[in-house]
Amino acid sequence: MKSLIENITAIQVESPVDKIIGQLKQLIVSGQLKPGDRLPAERVLSERFGVGRSYIREAILKLEFYGLLRTNPQSGTYVAGLSINVIDNIISDIIKFNKDDFNALIEARYHLELNAVKLAAERRTDEDLESIKSAMEDYEKKASTGGDAVEEDMVFHIKVAKATKNSVIESMILILVPDLIKNIVQNKICGDNRAKTAIEEHRKIYAAIESQDMAKAEEAMASHLDEIWQISKAGFAAQNIINEAEV
């Protein structure tokens, strides 16, 4: 019986983004989309897949990040000039990426955002400050009245990432942050009152970026993420105990 149970694995429910990526993979592998071919417009893809354009944008962003698509602002998005075999293998790895490895995702986000906020403090422009402040205020309006401020929270962190002037860091945060914030909020991992306590934490992050104090910016972000960081560390410690017990 034990061996039978061990051979049963959890059912993986694909997200709309993974399904879009999977279908694009099939079009490339089958030769219907070849390296160098241009993808249909975002609006057309949205209609054909039957999903919102935000899902199409996220799928394209992920494939761009891994170098499988390239976008020219004037002419559109193209399949990269890689061999079909390389594209097939990389896309398979992207789809198999384990979003349920929550502790690893938190750890990656923690270190990424600490470095991002330091760069934001160093490089931010007045325009960046306005964008971050606007996102912060939008979050406060929702959170202070008990509203669902998940999207506003995402936008705040994305605006901070944008101020780094590093497109790779921005892309990585765009990939990591949305799923994490949704998971944390929906499962109340940090408690029911977390949204309101984050208001003051956002203000401290903004103030440090405004004053271009990199050390204070890092300290403020670390404090903001400390609760989930402790959860991640506890999760890794527990997994190590389990692994040692199985040896």
Side-chain angles (χ1 to χ4, degrees):
M1 179 62 73
K2 183 178 178 182
S3 61
L4 173 62
I5 294 298
E6 288 173 346
N7 288 326
I8 296 175
T9 58
I11 295 171
Q12 298 296 316
V13 180
E14 280 189 307
S15 71
V17 172
D18 286 342
K19 289 184 177 180
I20 293 166
I21 291 173
Q23 285 202 44
L24 289 175
K25 171 190 170 184
Q26 290 305 317
L27 290 173
I28 294 169
V29 172
S30 67
Q32 295 176 70
L33 264 179
K34 298 179 177 64
D37 283 354
R38 185 173 68 179
L39 264 63
E42 188 179 284
R43 175 186 56 79
V44 175
L45 288 172
S46 175
E47 290 173 357
R48 293 299 299 168
F49 280 112
V51 297
R53 292 175 72 166
S54 62
Y55 290 119
I56 301 297
R57 279 193 290 271
E58 186 178 345
I60 289 174
L61 178 69
K62 285 188 176 182
L63 292 173
E64 282 182 331
F65 177 75
Y66 286 95
L68 302 178
L69 296 179
R70 54 185 177 81
T71 297
N72 184 313
Q74 281 74 43
S75 57
T77 301
Y78 296 82
V79 178
L82 300 170
S83 72
I84 289 176
N85 185 48
V86 170
I87 292 174
D88 183 12
N89 280 286
I90 294 177
I91 290 180
S92 295
D93 287 343
I94 295 170
I95 294 172
K96 283 189 274 186
F97 176 71
N98 188 6
K99 290 182 181 178
D100 291 330
D101 194 350
F102 192 62
N103 297 320
L105 287 171
I106 290 174
E107 184 176 61
R109 179 196 174 185
Y110 180 82
H111 291 292
L112 187 60
E113 290 224 57
L114 259 58
N115 285 287
V117 78
K118 287 193 294 182
L119 286 175
E122 180 184 24
R123 300 173 178 176
R124 61 84 176 155
T125 63
D126 290 341
E127 186 179 349
D128 290 323
L129 270 183
E130 289 178 15
S131 295
I132 296 168
K133 185 177 182 180
S134 177
M136 178 180 71
E137 290 173 345
D138 287 343
Y139 176 83
E140 289 183 9
K141 287 176 189 175
K142 276 279 190 77
S144 61
T145 57
D148 182 351
V150 173
E151 289 189 7
E152 288 76 11
D153 194 13
M154 290 181 205
V155 172
F156 175 79
H157 286 273
I158 288 167
K159 293 299 183 183
V160 170
K162 192 174 183 63
T164 67
K165 304 297 181 271
N166 184 310
S167 60
V168 175
I169 289 176
E170 185 182 353
S171 294
M172 290 174 74
I173 287 177
L174 277 168
I175 290 169
L176 283 175
V177 167
D179 283 337
L180 272 174
I181 290 179
K182 284 180 185 176
N183 196 325
I184 290 164
V185 173
Q186 289 171 359
N187 294 296
K188 298 181 180 178
I189 290 169
C190 295
D192 291 327
N193 202 41
R194 180 65 186 127
K196 290 184 179 179
T197 59
I199 291 175
E200 184 58 32
E201 294 168 2
H202 282 178
R203 289 176 181 171
K204 288 180 179 178
I205 292 168
Y206 171 77
I209 293 173
E210 182 182 32
S211 63
Q212 295 192 294
D213 190 322
M214 295 171 67
K216 281 190 177 178
E218 182 181 24
E219 182 183 340
M221 184 64 80
S223 177
H224 179 52
L225 299 177
D226 184 65
E227 196 168 352
I228 59 167
W229 172 235
Q230 296 304 326
I231 290 170
S232 172
K233 289 201 292 185
F236 274 119
Q239 189 58 52
N240 285 337
I241 292 171
I242 292 169
N243 291 341
E244 288 172 3
E246 290 177 346
V247 174

